[in-house]
Amino acid sequence: MNSKKQAPVKYYVGIDVGSASVRAALVDEFGTVVAHADQPIQIWEPQPDHYEQSSADIWAACCSVTKKVVCGIDASRIRGVGFDATCSLVVVDKTFQPLAVNCEGQNYRNVIMWMDHRAVSQVERINATQHRVLSYVGGVMSVEMQPPKLLWIKENLQESCWEKAGCFFDLPDFLSWKATGVTARSLCTVVCKWTYTSDGGWDDSFWETIGLEDLVKDKYEKIGNHVLSPGESVGKGLTPEAAKDLGLPEGIAVAASLIDAHAGGLGVIGADVKGHNLPCENQPITSRVAMICGTSSCHMGVSETPIFVPGVWGPYFSAMVPGLWLNEGGQSATGKLIDHVVRGHVAFPELQSKAAASAHSIYTYLNSHLDLIKKSLPVGFLTVDLHVWPDFHGNRSPLTDLTLKGMVVGLTLSRGLDELALIYLATIQAIALGTRHILETMQAAGHHINTLFLCGGLSKNPLFVQMHADITGKPVVLSKEVESVLVGAAILGACASGDFASIQEAMAKMGKIGRVVQPNHEHKRFYDKKYEVFLKLVEHQREYRSIMNSL
């Protein structure tokens, strides 16, 4: 008998820099995560709303986790590397050494994190210009984008940082530069966070209007005048130095990078859904929204023509899926908010002790505790008298109001574990109600969405997933690989290697469905009423603020 020799499996490395940790995965050509490693990274908070990191600390963590996942693998079978990261701002001097973004002059703290809100005054002035580029960010620029942060640096650190700076990188672009020595930027980062347009490039008048004309004069060398599409091969691949750092062979293909949420979208949104009885089957990919839920949440929807959604970022052409326009809604604090509410409760030590005794995580224990106290009611109905407005860190979408504050209505004098479980549930519901608010705004503007695809840390929490299905009324698809963001990063590496003809082809082959969670339509009336209350909460907040502002 003649036996056909099977070709050896090809591998790709995906590296993801989140807010608090760096993760790497070795992913095969079928989208299976073969090995995975993570390592925490440091965050400094020198004063309220200032969050800083170190690019040296981040790169060292990238190297450490990559060496772990490729250990013992035949290096010749590793074909490409892809990076994704938070859209934080990295500053280096003219010799590419770290440059302080703080008044203390601590050069190793050279990263202003995405969630840093120091540039409130600057973003207000930028938005007051009503410049035409703002129409591509939902009409209002977020403090989390890069222009207000650059303006803050110029106005507050002119001599120590602004004048000495050689490059301002988005973190994903810093990583591809570190790997290849090439300062090319990704279309994803510059379009989504810097006001670059895929057809017209940089708009000189915008930078001149907001007071950053210096960037125009040097022909945008400091913020990028060479732009590549995500997944495109950068330079000649890994440099000898980077290859040694990462434990990989020199010259391996390195892809133009993505922002972390966009990598998550890439990892899930293009999966083959045949046989799962989903409304998006035999429908274009534009019927899907990818929701990436971690410290914060992002809602990624694509369209064939540009759709301008008030309060939702975009439309961005080819920023995630080539050839399609992207709109990006978001919530600035989700996982961080749940953690804040739970850990700040007086009953948290009791929860911690009981969860440890039962060998469960605190959230698994809380979910079980809710099942115990629900009696004959559905779990979600326990919050009939308890309501949360979740904008403890401002509203990113669709209200674009970073001055909004969190609200809780329905508190009592009770201080026990039952009450902690209830406020935890109400917080998760509030986040899901916020998602519904974003989706309804996108649909009113012209999107046709019928299915949610979830990934990220919060997608591992079954209560979080079920509440999103019930409250939005849409089925939720969970990917086979929990680490969809890492799969998305690996898809970039696969494209850069030339093994796939397009990102779409790689998405279809490497993105896999795991489980589908259907909404319970019998609960629709209850959640419709919760949604009514939800919208009333922000009305009341604005009303009482108006009263106090009249003083």
Side-chain angles (χ1 to χ4, degrees):
M1 284 179 67
N2 292 328
S3 62
K4 194 173 180 181
K5 191 174 180 183
Q6 202 168 14
V9 175
K10 297 169 183 173
Y11 295 108
Y12 313 97
V13 175
I15 301 168
D16 163 54
V17 179
S19 300
S21 66
V22 174
R23 305 178 304 149
L26 186 69
V27 182
D28 70 20
E29 61 192 285
F30 308 105
T32 303
V33 174
V34 177
H36 169 262
D38 61 82
Q39 183 169 311
I41 48 177
Q42 196 159 356
I43 298 173
W44 288 269
E45 188 182 357
Q47 54 184 289
D49 285 334
H50 287 229
Y51 295 93
E52 297 169 5
Q53 290 184 310
S54 159
S55 63
D57 178 47
I58 290 168
W59 180 251
C62 289
C63 297
S64 174
V65 292
T66 303
K67 283 177 178 174
K68 287 177 184 174
V69 299
V70 302
C71 183
I73 297 292
D74 177 359
S76 67
R77 291 163 67 184
I78 302 172
R79 304 272 299 152
V81 179
F83 292 96
D84 74 77
T86 64
C87 47
S88 299
L89 178 67
V90 184
V91 186
V92 295
D93 66 17
K94 293 173 176 65
T95 62
F96 292 95
Q97 295 305 303
L99 197 55
V101 293
N102 47 74
C103 300
E104 297 89 345
Q106 302 287 339
N107 282 330
Y108 60 91
R109 284 165 33 204
N110 68 318
V111 180
I112 299 180
M113 286 187 73
W114 65 271
M115 60 185 182
D116 184 291
H117 282 192
R118 70 182 68 183
V120 171
S121 164
Q122 287 75 16
V123 81
E124 286 173 351
R125 279 180 273 139
I126 290 171
N127 286 324
T129 68
Q130 298 185 329
H131 194 279
R132 59 180 173 265
V133 300
L134 299 180
S135 64
Y136 287 91
V137 291
V140 180
M141 180 168 284
S142 166
V143 71
E144 294 170 9
M145 293 180 176
Q146 309 303 9
K149 290 173 179 166
L150 294 172
L151 189 55
W152 184 92
I153 290 173
K154 182 177 181 181
E155 292 178 350
N156 292 273
L157 303 172
Q158 177 144 15
E159 289 185 14
S160 63
C161 183
W162 183 257
E163 291 175 359
K164 292 180 180 178
C167 276
F168 298 101
F169 286 109
D170 220 281
L171 182 52
D173 296 322
F174 169 82
L175 297 171
S176 60
W177 164 74
K178 195 75 177 166
T180 65
V182 176
T183 60
R185 307 309 205 271
S186 166
L187 185 66
C188 173
T189 59
V190 293
V191 163
C192 296
K193 304 300 173 187
W194 298 71
T195 75
Y196 188 91
T197 59
S198 49
D199 52 355
W202 298 115
D203 187 319
D204 294 357
S205 69
F206 170 71
W207 299 100
E208 289 163 354
T209 299
I210 69 170
L212 294 179
E213 62 284 343
D214 332 32
L215 300 175
V216 182
K217 288 174 185 171
D218 75 0
K219 297 180 179 174
Y220 300 104
E221 188 176 345
K222 289 183 180 178
I223 62 172
N225 49 25
H226 179 205
V227 178
L228 300 174
S229 294
E232 199 173 336
S233 184
V234 181
K236 296 179 180 178
L238 283 181
T239 63
E241 183 182 1
K244 184 180 178 184
D245 287 347
L246 293 163
L248 292 168
E250 177 185 342
I252 280 182
V254 175
S257 54
L258 280 173
I259 298 165
D260 54 353
H262 301 63
L266 210 63
V268 296
I269 203 170
D272 185 352
V273 299
K274 285 189 179 72
H276 290 271
N277 195 29
L278 286 163
C280 64
E281 187 173 344
N282 300 319
Q283 296 289 315
I285 195 175
T286 53
S287 64
R288 311 175 182 190
V289 157
M291 185 174 161
I292 298 84
C293 348
T295 305
S296 62
S297 291
C298 294
H299 307 72
M300 323 292 280
V302 291
S303 57
E304 292 178 358
T305 57
I307 299 175
F308 292 85
V309 186
V312 172
W313 298 342
Y316 304 131
F317 187 66
S318 290
M320 185 173 78
V321 181
L324 294 177
W325 294 85
L326 171 70
N327 282 107
E328 180 186 348
Q331 295 161 294
S332 292
T334 49
K336 188 175 178 66
L337 174 61
I338 295 168
D339 215 40
H340 172 78
V341 168
V342 170
R343 292 178 182 274
H345 196 278
V346 68
F348 178 68
E350 180 188 354
L351 167 65
Q352 211 170 15
S353 171
K354 288 185 173 177
S358 65
H360 287 123
S361 74
I362 57 173
Y363 296 115
T364 300
Y365 189 88
L366 279 173
N367 292 350
S368 300
H369 192 75
L370 285 167
D371 283 333
L372 284 177
I373 64 176
K374 72 176 183 178
K375 298 178 181 172
S376 60
L377 286 171
V379 165
F381 289 23
L382 288 168
T383 60
V384 66
D385 291 321
L386 184 61
H387 309 282
V388 173
W389 180 263
D391 291 329
F392 286 49
H393 198 52
N395 183 283
R396 187 190 297 172
S397 304
L399 303 178
T400 60
D401 185 349
L402 61 89
T403 69
L404 284 175
K405 304 292 189 288
M407 300 170 72
V408 182
V409 175
L411 293 175
T412 70
L413 291 174
S414 301
R415 295 154 52 90
L417 194 53
D418 287 3
E419 285 65 40
L420 170 50
L422 290 176
I423 192 69
Y424 158 71
L425 170 61
T427 302
I428 285 177
Q429 289 175 332
I431 292 166
L433 290 161
T435 290
R436 176 169 167 172
H437 197 193
I438 291 165
L439 296 180
E440 288 191 358
T441 305
M442 291 174 71
Q443 289 176 146
H447 280 276
H448 301 284
I449 301 158
N450 57 34
T451 311
L452 298 183
F453 287 69
L454 259 64
C455 68
L458 290 176
S459 70
K460 301 172 191 176
N461 184 333
L463 181 68
F464 184 90
V465 174
Q466 190 64 58
M467 287 299 105
H468 274 76
D470 290 350
I471 287 170
T472 64
K474 301 182 191 303
V476 172
V477 177
L478 301 173
S479 59
K480 185 177 180 183
E481 291 292 345
V482 175
E483 306 298 347
S484 299
V485 176
L486 286 166
V487 173
I491 285 172
L492 294 175
C495 290
S497 72
D499 291 343
F500 292 91
S502 67
I503 278 187
Q504 286 93 329
E505 182 188 328
M507 283 165 57
K509 187 172 180 184
M510 295 176 70
K512 296 284 189 296
I513 284 186
R515 193 163 64 89
V516 174
V517 177
Q518 294 288 351
N520 189 329
H521 294 295
E522 292 178 9
H523 300 170
K524 180 180 185 301
R525 187 167 180 273
F526 177 82
Y527 290 117
D528 284 348
K529 294 296 181 186
K530 285 282 288 188
Y531 188 56
E532 278 186 51
V533 174
F534 181 79
L535 296 178
K536 286 286 184 189
L537 290 176
V538 73
E539 278 183 37
H540 290 319
Q541 181 172 162
R542 285 173 164 168
E543 186 178 342
Y544 75 65
R545 290 170 75 178
S546 174
I547 292 168
M548 296 309 295
N549 288 339
S550 66
L551 283 171

